[in-house]
Amino acid sequence: MDKLKLVALSGSLRNLSYNSSALQALKMLSANDADINIVSLGNLPLFNPERESDNIPSVMALKSSIEKADGLIISSPEYAHGISGVMKNALDWLVSGEEFVNIPIMLINTSPRATHAQQMLREIIVTMSGKIIEKSSVVIPLLGTSLDEQGIVIDSQLSALLKTGIGEFCSVINNNLHFVSSQTLISD
Ligand SMILES: Cc1cc2nc3c(=O)[nH]c(=O)nc-3n(C[C@H](O)[C@H](O)[C@H](O)COP(=O)(O)O)c2cc1C
């Protein structure tokens, strides 16, 4: 079976971000099953609906990477009981396009106490018609650990949680692709 093409977005711009490290670790742990393209959100301008047809390179790159992907992985922090502005800005650029509609989504939460942001993120994703794959979504307690991606990979409990989540994610996507392609064959 071909490797799945996945896009990953971190809602933090910090150099030592736990969310970005979790995505880097996931990329290393799943290298045999999926190609994870971690797209930086730091170059996106602030969302302005009047600029949606301006062909802004960073916005076009984000949209095109999601359009080509089999699934999307989101890891984003909580700030003041809300989702990060970085993530909300990126999602706002995607609201009116078709790329996000029905895309399977794996959520990673790097802080068990960050429940408000996760709830808000879920509401936004559902509103945008993304499909959260619940059994793939994981909470990994990274806050306060000072772990980077290497540290996460070698931590047996954390890496097991990530591996289980991505395994479920790939399996749901693969089953769905199989279902769609068999339907296409039947209708052909
Ligand atoms: C200004 C600010 C506000 C924060 N507010 C919250 C909060 O409301 N709830 C929470 O659980 N964590 C809060 N945090 C902690 C961050 O979510 C945490 O540091 C997280 O690891 C940041 O993500 P990163 O490591 O990927 O950069 C806040 C951090 C900062 C800097």
Side-chain angles (χ1 to χ4, degrees):
M1 202 172 287
D2 286 345
K3 278 197 207 180
L4 291 176
K5 282 197 215 86
L6 305 176
V7 165
L9 305 177
S10 168
S12 171
L13 301 182
R14 248 175 18 101
N15 284 330
L16 300 175
S17 158
Y18 289 119
N19 288 282
S20 303
S21 297
L23 295 177
Q24 293 286 358
L26 189 69
K27 183 180 168 89
M28 291 187 241
L29 290 165
S30 60
N32 290 336
D33 305 310
D35 279 325
I36 299 183
N37 174 18
I38 302 174
V39 176
S40 169
L41 303 179
N43 292 326
L44 292 175
L46 288 177
F47 177 62
N48 178 347
E50 289 170 349
R51 298 196 63 200
E52 283 194 288
S53 49
D54 281 2
N55 294 335
I56 300 164
S58 54
V59 175
M60 285 166 61
L62 173 66
K63 288 185 172 206
S64 137
S65 62
I66 293 177
E67 191 175 11
K68 288 186 227 143
D70 298 308
L72 179 63
I73 303 160
I74 295 180
S75 188
S76 194
E78 175 166 304
Y79 293 135
H81 286 188
I83 74 165
S84 78
V86 169
M87 183 54 65
K88 183 66 169 76
N89 188 50
L91 293 172
D92 284 349
W93 279 113
L94 296 166
V95 168
S96 54
E98 289 299 312
E99 310 81 18
F100 201 88
V101 174
N102 286 329
I103 193 160
I105 298 175
M106 170 180 178
L107 293 178
I108 300 176
N109 182 1
T110 58
S111 169
R113 73 176 196 207
T115 53
H116 297 87
Q118 281 298 300
Q119 201 181 345
M120 197 177 288
L121 184 58
R122 282 163 187 274
E123 176 67 21
I124 295 165
I125 289 170
V126 169
T127 304
M128 290 171 64
S129 303
K131 300 289 169 216
I132 299 169
I133 309 301
E134 288 298 346
K135 60 183 180 178
S136 75
S137 296
V138 289
V139 181
I140 52 167
L142 291 183
L143 196 62
T145 62
S146 302
L147 290 175
D148 63 6
E149 53 266 35
Q150 296 291 349
I152 299 169
V153 167
I154 60 173
D155 182 298
S156 57
Q157 283 183 335
L158 296 173
S159 59
L161 286 170
L162 286 173
K163 275 197 220 168
T164 303
I166 194 74
E168 294 283 2
F169 194 50
C170 291
S171 150
V172 167
I173 295 172
N174 277 323
N175 287 339
N176 197 40
L177 287 176
H178 177 69
F179 175 70
V180 170
S181 72
S182 17
Q183 280 209 322
T184 310
L185 283 175
I186 290 163
S187 64
D188 283 349

